[in-house]
Amino acid sequence: AATAVAAAVALLALIRRRRHLHRRPLIDADLDGTWPLPLAQPEAVGLSTQRLSEISRWSDGWVGSGKLPGLFTAIARRGKLVYAHSSGSADVASGSPLTQHTLVRLYSLTKPLVSVCAMVLYEKGLFQLDEPVSHHLPSFANARVLLASGEIVPAEREVTVHHLLTHTAGLTYGDSDTAVDEAYKAAGCGWDAPHHLSLSDFVDRIGRLPLAFHPGESWRYSYATDVLGRLLEVISGLPLDRLMDETLFSPL
């Protein structure tokens, strides 16, 4: 009987503990309380404390395996911060912890900005998502695809604005060892091309190169957003930096 009572007490304590966990946000105890958003329990915004806890295990695993020196994850929904977890360090040499105050370099954030700018122009009726890019960028007319066999065939369809927005245009970055990537490098359109070519010249060269696959048939991270940026310049008649300033930054 004493054993049964002890088991019941332990079970009750576990239930109370779980209930308590579900009443607070999943924020690491060693992270200070300075946050840009109000805190909330995951369930208050339709998320699961138990499922979010799995992210911590995943994050710690990446750092523990040595694949990443540090990883910080924060999740917010409906304007409330519900999860924040830090794994590893911000600096391997010093071992300084990675926190919400650590300054990090973020890559590829021009992509969402250019894409939002594109959607603003789309809402104004300046182009259609299924519109061929070649209507505004002639070098993309008569696109060709370089197959794995080495054969070059006509593309089954034209590259559209939608393909650019979704990285399904058949473009690449010229940073691998495939035949298409080698063609990019030979044309001066490799990884460092944007640093020594104007956007206009760069995109014109890309349009004349073969595609890695037929538009819409696969996905590949690529210079698609660079092409989209040039497309916006042609459609708007403004340089991309000025267009983004007038469309996004100044209004904000």
Side-chain angles (χ1 to χ4, degrees), residues 81-131:
L81 182 71
V82 298
Y83 175 90
H85 179 73
S86 176
S87 304
S89 60
D91 182 81
V92 175
S94 67
S96 58
L98 182 64
T99 75
Q100 73 271 34
H101 302 297
T102 302
L103 296 179
V104 297
R105 181 174 180 178
L106 299 179
Y107 287 83
S108 291
L109 288 186
T110 51
K111 289 182 173 63
L113 292 174
V114 171
S115 297
V116 170
C117 191
M119 296 314 296
V120 172
L121 298 191
Y122 167 72
E123 287 186 335
K124 293 180 178 179
L126 298 185
F127 64 87
Q128 297 299 312
L129 294 178
D130 59 356
E131 185 174 349

Side-chain angles (χ1 to χ4, degrees), residues 141-163:
N142 303 313
R144 300 159 298 141
V145 177
L146 178 54
L147 303 178
S149 63
E151 181 184 4
I152 296 179
V153 299
E156 294 181 355
R157 62 194 63 86
E158 290 213 49
V159 174
T160 66
V161 180
H162 178 269
H163 293 142

Side-chain angles (χ1 to χ4, degrees), residues 11-22 24:
L11 178 60
L12 181 60
L14 177 60
I15 293 174
R16 286 176 175 173
R17 180 174 179 272
R18 286 194 171 184
R19 285 178 177 173
H20 174 70
L21 286 174
H22 282 248
R24 62 186 179 87

